[in-house]
Amino acid sequence: MVSDNRTRCAMKQHNIIKKACFMFLCVCLLTCIFSENVSAGYAKNFPLPKLTGNYQKDMIAVAKSQLGYSESRTKETIYAAWASRSSLPWCSEFVAWSAYKAGIPSSIIPVGTTSGEYREFFAEQGRYYILNNGQNNSSCGCKKMSAKTISFSGIKPGDILLIESNGNYADGPDHTCMVVSKNYNTVTTIDGNSHDQVEYRIRRASQIHGVCRPLYNLTRVSLNAKAVSGKRVKLIWKKLSDVSGYQIYRSTQKNSGYRLIKTVGKSTNAYTDKQIVKNKGYYYRVRAYKVCNGKRVYGRLSTIKTVKAV
């Protein structure tokens, strides 16, 4: 009888130990799964520089601030996630993200998800170029495009390069990057998705499929505004080169409610608003635009100018 009791006690202890071991294994397994999920998430972007309002310089500065950023174990990045591309290749997304963080509207640099989309976008604007000492329109897949030619020495910082990586120019470009400096026979670029990270690369003419040149000159209009007698507000701004015209916006609230009140031509740099009420405050902003192949490309809105009608 005593022997049976001892046997039952031993069996209970054995079952308790088995359950404890099972629970321990479950905890370890869940911990491993949780750790894997954490490691699979992408890191946040690196701190961004202070913007100056110069699109070209700001975009380069933003891209430089991300040097050394690496994708996660599952090939994810903040840049691809921003463009809703998850873990897919992210070179074009990095360029678009840099433009976005620099305050550049998508009408100037699109949220392109492939090098081919960049080529189509800039070709429609007449701002896509092939090297005059490189591939011709037919062999580089540009036969049906209005691709212009440019010399290698004509490449500038801020240009977006479409790179040929597989040696087959006929199937279109395979990689997107941005020029940050130029030497005699090479250019230095910042590339996303290069060795799974953001890094500098040296490019030669033989690697370049095409050159995209954004309309960086459509920067902020420098606006001044003042009230004049007779319930009028006079706006004056500095003309920008290579634009088609300007749009004038007004609101009675500083941070919202802006409405387009007038569009003027490129030769105009002043406008008098007569549709106002005495002793009431108004807020104004102006932006430039350029027409490319029938489509308007808009610059950044000016800083807000506040005026009280007299």
Short mmCIF file of all heavy atoms in Angstrom, two decimals, residues 7-43:
data_model
loop_
_atom_site.label_atom_id
_atom_site.label_comp_id
_atom_site.label_asym_id
_atom_site.label_seq_id
_atom_site.Cartn_x
_atom_site.Cartn_y
_atom_site.Cartn_z
N THR A 7 4.40 5.40 -5.57
CA THR A 7 4.37 5.38 -7.04
C THR A 7 3.49 6.49 -7.59
O THR A 7 3.84 7.18 -8.54
CB THR A 7 3.84 4.02 -7.53
OG1 THR A 7 4.71 2.99 -7.05
CG2 THR A 7 3.79 3.98 -9.06
N ARG A 8 2.30 6.66 -6.93
CA ARG A 8 1.41 7.72 -7.39
C ARG A 8 2.03 9.10 -7.20
O ARG A 8 1.92 9.98 -8.05
CB ARG A 8 0.07 7.64 -6.64
CG ARG A 8 -0.83 6.50 -7.15
CD ARG A 8 -2.25 6.70 -6.65
NE ARG A 8 -2.32 6.49 -5.20
CZ ARG A 8 -2.57 5.30 -4.62
NH1 ARG A 8 -2.74 4.21 -5.38
NH2 ARG A 8 -2.62 5.20 -3.31
N CYS A 9 2.72 9.29 -6.08
CA CYS A 9 3.37 10.58 -5.83
C CYS A 9 4.46 10.84 -6.86
O CYS A 9 4.63 11.96 -7.36
CB CYS A 9 3.98 10.59 -4.43
SG CYS A 9 2.77 10.73 -3.11
N ALA A 10 5.20 9.82 -7.20
CA ALA A 10 6.26 9.98 -8.19
C ALA A 10 5.69 10.33 -9.55
O ALA A 10 6.24 11.16 -10.29
CB ALA A 10 7.09 8.69 -8.28
N MET A 11 4.56 9.71 -9.89
CA MET A 11 3.93 9.99 -11.18
C MET A 11 3.42 11.44 -11.23
O MET A 11 3.53 12.12 -12.25
CB MET A 11 2.77 9.02 -11.41
CG MET A 11 3.23 7.58 -11.68
SD MET A 11 1.84 6.46 -11.96
CE MET A 11 1.17 7.13 -13.47
N LYS A 12 2.86 11.90 -10.08
CA LYS A 12 2.38 13.28 -10.03
C LYS A 12 3.53 14.27 -10.22
O LYS A 12 3.43 15.25 -10.95
CB LYS A 12 1.67 13.56 -8.70
CG LYS A 12 0.30 12.91 -8.59
CD LYS A 12 -0.34 13.27 -7.26
CE LYS A 12 -1.74 12.65 -7.15
NZ LYS A 12 -2.38 12.98 -5.84
N GLN A 13 4.64 13.97 -9.51
CA GLN A 13 5.81 14.83 -9.65
C GLN A 13 6.33 14.85 -11.09
O GLN A 13 6.72 15.88 -11.62
CB GLN A 13 6.92 14.38 -8.70
CG GLN A 13 6.59 14.63 -7.24
CD GLN A 13 7.68 14.10 -6.32
OE1 GLN A 13 8.57 13.36 -6.75
NE2 GLN A 13 7.59 14.47 -5.04
N HIS A 14 6.30 13.66 -11.70
CA HIS A 14 6.76 13.55 -13.08
C HIS A 14 5.88 14.37 -14.02
O HIS A 14 6.37 15.08 -14.92
CB HIS A 14 6.76 12.08 -13.51
CG HIS A 14 7.22 11.87 -14.91
ND1 HIS A 14 8.53 12.05 -15.30
CD2 HIS A 14 6.53 11.49 -16.04
CE1 HIS A 14 8.64 11.81 -16.60
NE2 HIS A 14 7.44 11.45 -17.06
N ASN A 15 4.56 14.30 -13.79
CA ASN A 15 3.62 15.07 -14.64
C ASN A 15 3.79 16.57 -14.44
O ASN A 15 3.70 17.36 -15.38
CB ASN A 15 2.18 14.67 -14.32
CG ASN A 15 1.84 13.29 -14.82
OD1 ASN A 15 2.46 12.78 -15.77
ND2 ASN A 15 0.87 12.62 -14.18
N ILE A 16 4.03 16.96 -13.17
CA ILE A 16 4.24 18.38 -12.89
C ILE A 16 5.48 18.88 -13.60
O ILE A 16 5.50 19.96 -14.20
CB ILE A 16 4.36 18.62 -11.37
CG1 ILE A 16 2.99 18.39 -10.70
CG2 ILE A 16 4.86 20.04 -11.08
CD1 ILE A 16 3.04 18.41 -9.19
N ILE A 17 6.55 18.09 -13.57
CA ILE A 17 7.79 18.46 -14.24
C ILE A 17 7.58 18.55 -15.74
O ILE A 17 8.06 19.48 -16.41
CB ILE A 17 8.90 17.44 -13.91
CG1 ILE A 17 9.28 17.54 -12.42
CG2 ILE A 17 10.14 17.68 -14.79
CD1 ILE A 17 10.22 16.46 -11.96
N LYS A 18 6.83 17.60 -16.33
CA LYS A 18 6.54 17.63 -17.76
C LYS A 18 5.78 18.89 -18.14
O LYS A 18 6.08 19.54 -19.14
CB LYS A 18 5.74 16.39 -18.16
CG LYS A 18 6.57 15.10 -18.21
CD LYS A 18 5.71 13.90 -18.52
CE LYS A 18 5.09 14.00 -19.91
NZ LYS A 18 4.29 12.79 -20.23
N LYS A 19 4.76 19.25 -17.31
CA LYS A 19 3.98 20.44 -17.60
C LYS A 19 4.84 21.70 -17.50
O LYS A 19 4.73 22.63 -18.31
CB LYS A 19 2.79 20.55 -16.64
CG LYS A 19 1.70 19.51 -16.90
CD LYS A 19 0.55 19.69 -15.91
CE LYS A 19 -0.55 18.66 -16.17
NZ LYS A 19 -1.66 18.79 -15.19
N ALA A 20 5.70 21.71 -16.48
CA ALA A 20 6.57 22.87 -16.32
C ALA A 20 7.52 23.01 -17.50
O ALA A 20 7.76 24.12 -18.00
CB ALA A 20 7.36 22.74 -15.01
N CYS A 21 8.07 21.89 -17.96
CA CYS A 21 8.96 21.91 -19.12
C CYS A 21 8.22 22.38 -20.37
O CYS A 21 8.75 23.14 -21.18
CB CYS A 21 9.56 20.52 -19.34
SG CYS A 21 10.76 20.03 -18.08
N PHE A 22 6.97 21.91 -20.52
CA PHE A 22 6.18 22.29 -21.68
C PHE A 22 5.90 23.79 -21.67
O PHE A 22 6.02 24.48 -22.70
CB PHE A 22 4.87 21.51 -21.69
CG PHE A 22 3.94 21.88 -22.79
CD1 PHE A 22 4.18 21.45 -24.09
CD2 PHE A 22 2.84 22.69 -22.56
CE1 PHE A 22 3.34 21.81 -25.13
CE2 PHE A 22 1.98 23.03 -23.58
CZ PHE A 22 2.24 22.61 -24.87
N MET A 23 5.54 24.31 -20.48
CA MET A 23 5.28 25.74 -20.38
C MET A 23 6.54 26.55 -20.66
O MET A 23 6.50 27.60 -21.31
CB MET A 23 4.74 26.08 -18.99
CG MET A 23 3.34 25.52 -18.72
SD MET A 23 2.76 25.85 -17.05
CE MET A 23 2.62 27.62 -17.10
N PHE A 24 7.68 26.08 -20.18
CA PHE A 24 8.94 26.76 -20.43
C PHE A 24 9.27 26.81 -21.91
O PHE A 24 9.69 27.84 -22.44
CB PHE A 24 10.06 26.04 -19.66
CG PHE A 24 11.41 26.63 -19.89
CD1 PHE A 24 11.78 27.82 -19.27
CD2 PHE A 24 12.32 26.01 -20.74
CE1 PHE A 24 13.04 28.37 -19.50
CE2 PHE A 24 13.57 26.54 -20.96
CZ PHE A 24 13.92 27.74 -20.34
N LEU A 25 9.04 25.68 -22.60
CA LEU A 25 9.29 25.63 -24.04
C LEU A 25 8.37 26.59 -24.79
O LEU A 25 8.77 27.24 -25.75
CB LEU A 25 9.11 24.20 -24.56
CG LEU A 25 10.20 23.20 -24.16
CD1 LEU A 25 9.79 21.78 -24.59
CD2 LEU A 25 11.53 23.58 -24.79
N CYS A 26 7.11 26.67 -24.35
CA CYS A 26 6.16 27.60 -25.00
C CYS A 26 6.60 29.04 -24.84
O CYS A 26 6.55 29.84 -25.79
CB CYS A 26 4.76 27.41 -24.39
SG CYS A 26 3.96 25.87 -24.88
N VAL A 27 7.05 29.38 -23.61
CA VAL A 27 7.52 30.74 -23.36
C VAL A 27 8.72 31.06 -24.23
O VAL A 27 8.82 32.14 -24.83
CB VAL A 27 7.88 30.92 -21.87
CG1 VAL A 27 8.58 32.27 -21.65
CG2 VAL A 27 6.63 30.85 -21.01
N CYS A 28 9.65 30.10 -24.36
CA CYS A 28 10.83 30.31 -25.20
C CYS A 28 10.46 30.51 -26.65
O CYS A 28 11.00 31.36 -27.34
CB CYS A 28 11.79 29.12 -25.06
SG CYS A 28 12.60 29.02 -23.44
N LEU A 29 9.50 29.67 -27.11
CA LEU A 29 9.06 29.78 -28.49
C LEU A 29 8.41 31.11 -28.78
O LEU A 29 8.69 31.77 -29.79
CB LEU A 29 8.08 28.63 -28.82
CG LEU A 29 7.52 28.60 -30.25
CD1 LEU A 29 8.67 28.43 -31.24
CD2 LEU A 29 6.52 27.48 -30.41
N LEU A 30 7.53 31.56 -27.86
CA LEU A 30 6.87 32.86 -28.04
C LEU A 30 7.88 33.99 -28.00
O LEU A 30 7.77 34.98 -28.74
CB LEU A 30 5.82 33.06 -26.95
CG LEU A 30 4.57 32.19 -27.05
CD1 LEU A 30 3.70 32.35 -25.82
CD2 LEU A 30 3.77 32.54 -28.31
N THR A 31 8.88 33.86 -27.14
CA THR A 31 9.91 34.88 -27.06
C THR A 31 10.68 34.99 -28.35
O THR A 31 10.98 36.07 -28.85
CB THR A 31 10.87 34.58 -25.89
OG1 THR A 31 10.13 34.52 -24.68
CG2 THR A 31 11.95 35.65 -25.80
N CYS A 32 11.00 33.83 -28.93
CA CYS A 32 11.73 33.81 -30.21
C CYS A 32 10.90 34.45 -31.32
O CYS A 32 11.41 35.22 -32.12
CB CYS A 32 12.11 32.38 -30.59
SG CYS A 32 13.36 31.66 -29.52
N ILE A 33 9.60 34.10 -31.34
CA ILE A 33 8.72 34.66 -32.38
C ILE A 33 8.61 36.16 -32.22
O ILE A 33 8.70 36.93 -33.18
CB ILE A 33 7.32 34.00 -32.31
CG1 ILE A 33 7.42 32.53 -32.71
CG2 ILE A 33 6.34 34.75 -33.22
CD1 ILE A 33 6.12 31.77 -32.51
N PHE A 34 8.44 36.61 -30.96
CA PHE A 34 8.32 38.05 -30.72
C PHE A 34 9.60 38.78 -31.11
O PHE A 34 9.56 39.84 -31.74
CB PHE A 34 8.01 38.30 -29.24
CG PHE A 34 7.92 39.74 -28.88
CD1 PHE A 34 6.80 40.49 -29.23
CD2 PHE A 34 8.94 40.37 -28.19
CE1 PHE A 34 6.72 41.84 -28.92
CE2 PHE A 34 8.87 41.71 -27.86
CZ PHE A 34 7.75 42.44 -28.22
N SER A 35 10.74 38.20 -30.75
CA SER A 35 12.01 38.82 -31.09
C SER A 35 12.19 38.92 -32.59
O SER A 35 12.69 39.91 -33.11
CB SER A 35 13.17 38.01 -30.48
OG SER A 35 13.07 37.99 -29.07
N GLU A 36 11.75 37.89 -33.32
CA GLU A 36 11.88 37.91 -34.77
C GLU A 36 11.02 39.01 -35.38
O GLU A 36 11.42 39.70 -36.29
CB GLU A 36 11.45 36.55 -35.33
CG GLU A 36 11.46 36.46 -36.85
CD GLU A 36 12.86 36.58 -37.42
OE1 GLU A 36 13.83 36.31 -36.70
OE2 GLU A 36 12.98 36.99 -38.60
N ASN A 37 9.80 39.18 -34.80
CA ASN A 37 8.93 40.23 -35.31
C ASN A 37 9.53 41.61 -35.07
O ASN A 37 9.43 42.50 -35.90
CB ASN A 37 7.55 40.15 -34.64
CG ASN A 37 6.72 39.00 -35.18
OD1 ASN A 37 6.99 38.52 -36.27
ND2 ASN A 37 5.75 38.53 -34.40
N VAL A 38 10.16 41.79 -33.91
CA VAL A 38 10.77 43.07 -33.61
C VAL A 38 11.92 43.34 -34.56
O VAL A 38 12.07 44.43 -35.10
CB VAL A 38 11.25 43.10 -32.15
CG1 VAL A 38 12.10 44.35 -31.90
CG2 VAL A 38 10.08 43.06 -31.19
N SER A 39 12.76 42.30 -34.79
CA SER A 39 13.91 42.49 -35.65
C SER A 39 13.50 42.70 -37.10
O SER A 39 14.24 43.26 -37.88
CB SER A 39 14.86 41.29 -35.54
OG SER A 39 14.24 40.11 -36.03
N ALA A 40 12.28 42.19 -37.45
CA ALA A 40 11.84 42.32 -38.84
C ALA A 40 11.39 43.74 -39.15
O ALA A 40 11.35 44.15 -40.30
CB ALA A 40 10.68 41.36 -39.10
N GLY A 41 11.03 44.53 -38.12
CA GLY A 41 10.58 45.89 -38.36
C GLY A 41 11.73 46.77 -38.81
O GLY A 41 12.87 46.59 -38.41
N TYR A 42 11.42 47.77 -39.67
CA TYR A 42 12.46 48.65 -40.17
C TYR A 42 12.73 49.77 -39.16
O TYR A 42 11.90 50.13 -38.35
CB TYR A 42 12.04 49.25 -41.50
CG TYR A 42 10.67 49.86 -41.51
CD1 TYR A 42 10.45 51.14 -41.03
CD2 TYR A 42 9.57 49.15 -42.01
CE1 TYR A 42 9.19 51.71 -41.02
CE2 TYR A 42 8.30 49.71 -42.01
CZ TYR A 42 8.13 50.99 -41.51
OH TYR A 42 6.88 51.54 -41.51
N ALA A 43 13.93 50.32 -39.25
CA ALA A 43 14.32 51.42 -38.38
C ALA A 43 13.71 52.73 -38.87
O ALA A 43 13.34 52.86 -40.03
CB ALA A 43 15.84 51.54 -38.34
#
